[in-house]
Amino acid sequence: MNKRTRTGAFAGLIMAAVFVGACSNAGTTTAPATAGATPAASMAPSMAAPSASAAMMDGTTFGAACSAVPATGAGSFEGMATAPVATAASNNPVLSTLVTAVTAAKLGDTLNNAKDITVFAPTNDAFAAMDKATLDSAMADPSGLLSKVLTYHVVQGRLTPETLAGTHKTLAGSDLKVEGSGESF
């Protein structure tokens, strides 16, 4: 399998897994990843500032993966809303594989210092659903393939469920198209 095919397979598997079983919270987009979530998985809509403002976190959540987000503490929606994105993700046990990948790619500071972003954060289940050889290949190339795939999951702007559908420019420089509405994306 050539590098281009592996990149496409890796991105496709993560994106498919991210949208399946994701969780959403009224003010942010994230699958049990970091701050609140919407069908896609967003570490948090903001990084330099806290993941999401308390005002945005009205407690309305939807999606099968929401039950895996801790109800209280630093890894809960409320707890993650007060921390920078990468830090918030590190507090949530369902995002431990993502945190490992972000750390390997040396993107933690970038995410924590970025302003007004939304992260579609794959949960541990998303990574577990991937082909092991593809995941191992990406992890073996942290500043290349892994970094490219992870930055594909970050878009400019604080997306809410109302603004999630549409085409968004990723930090990787490509477009990400999100389809759906309400509680189904």
Side-chain angles (χ1 to χ4, degrees), residues 10 14 43 47-48 84-89 97-115 117 119-120 122 127 138-139 141-154 171-172:
F10 185 67
I14 284 187
M43 271 184 148
M47 305 290 199
V85 173
T87 301
T97 306
L98 175 63
V99 171
T100 298
V102 167
T103 301
K106 298 182 179 160
L107 293 172
D109 287 341
T110 299
L111 294 176
N112 276 344
N113 293 313
K115 293 186 181 209
I117 61 173
V119 177
F120 292 85
F127 285 99
M139 293 299 283
D141 185 16
S143 61
L145 177 59
L146 183 61
S147 181
K148 182 176 182 174
V149 171
L150 291 172
T151 56
Y152 181 79
H153 287 74
V154 182
L171 247 137

Side-chain angles (χ1 to χ4, degrees), residues 114-185:
K115 293 186 181 209
D116 298 327
I117 61 173
T118 299
V119 177
F120 292 85
T123 65
N124 293 342
D125 290 342
F127 285 99
M130 291 182 58
D131 171 72
K132 184 174 175 5
T134 303
L135 180 58
D136 289 347
S137 175
M139 293 299 283
D141 185 16
S143 61
L145 177 59
L146 183 61
S147 181
K148 182 176 182 174
V149 171
L150 291 172
T151 56
Y152 181 79
H153 287 74
V154 182
V155 300
Q156 268 312 127
R158 291 176 173 236
L159 300 181
T160 64
E162 296 76 30
T163 61
L164 185 60
T167 301
H168 309 282
K169 182 65 80 184
T170 70
L171 247 137
S174 39
D175 288 337
L176 171 66
K177 185 176 181 181
V178 179
E179 296 177 336
S181 63
E183 295 182 10
S184 179
F185 288 90

